[in-house]
């Protein structure tokens, strides 16, 4: 995979680019960059029991709420989200943000984001089918928070 051929996956307002997939690391790690426009609240509260997620800020600032505690992650800052911790993120600022996500072990891949994008696309601009999104999340090892 080279930078020139990296697939961009649009999920609502965010753009995801996988830099390393689990198959490329014998399952030890997956990494993806993602862009979040200013003013976006994009991820429903969720957890994952099978992997940790470490976030490294590249541009702008994202607010990650982990177990009810807000954490600002700006350029050069890092946040580790442990397995089982309920979390979500938003870009509450005036600037677009870009971050790097590192998933260990590398069991989350681009298919998850493609599947969520398909549910959002099927809504054709209307409200998405939340049950379908929850089913996609569970199929990929992510638990929607109740």
């Amino acid at each position: 995979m080279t930078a020139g051929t990296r697939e961009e996956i649009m999920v609502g307002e965010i753009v995801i680019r996988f830099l390393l997939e689990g198959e490329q690391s014998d399952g030890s790690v997956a990494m993806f960059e993602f862009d979040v426009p200013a003013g976006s609240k994009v991820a429903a509260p969720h957890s994952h029991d099978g992997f940790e997620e470490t976030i490294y800020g590249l541009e702008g600032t994202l607010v990650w709420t982990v177990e009810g505690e807000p954490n600002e992650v700006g350029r050069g800052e890092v946040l580790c989200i442990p397995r089982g911790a309920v979390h979500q993120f938003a870009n509450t600022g005036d600037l677009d943000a870009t971050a790097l996500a590192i998933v260990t072990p590398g069991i989350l891949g681009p298919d998850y984001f493609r599947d969520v994008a398909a549910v959002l696309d099927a809504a054709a601009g209307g409200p998405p089918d939340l049950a379908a999104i929850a089913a996609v999340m569970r199929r990929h090892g992510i638990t929607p928070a109740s």
Side-chain angles (χ1 to χ4, degrees), residues 4-75:
T5 60
R6 205 173 298 144
E7 174 189 11
E8 290 195 343
I9 304 168
M10 293 286 302
V11 179
E13 297 180 292
I14 68 172
V15 178
I16 295 124
R17 292 173 299 280
F18 267 79
L19 306 174
L20 180 66
E21 295 181 36
E23 299 84 43
Q24 297 169 302
S25 68
D26 285 332
S28 65
V29 64
M31 290 187 348
F32 58 91
E33 269 181 346
F34 58 105
D35 303 326
V36 184
S40 298
K41 181 178 181 181
V42 294
H46 65 279
S47 64
H48 19 79
D49 293 330
F51 59 91
E52 278 81 31
E53 185 174 23
T54 302
I55 305 301
Y56 181 77
L58 297 172
E59 296 292 335
T61 300
L62 293 174
V63 177
W64 290 80
T65 302
V66 181
E67 295 293 340
E69 185 78 25
N71 301 273
E72 288 190 358
V73 179
R75 181 183 177 98

Side-chain angles (χ1 to χ4, degrees), residues 101-114:
I102 303 160
V103 176
T104 51
I107 59 176
L108 183 69
D111 285 345
Y112 166 69
F113 296 103
R114 290 184 195 116

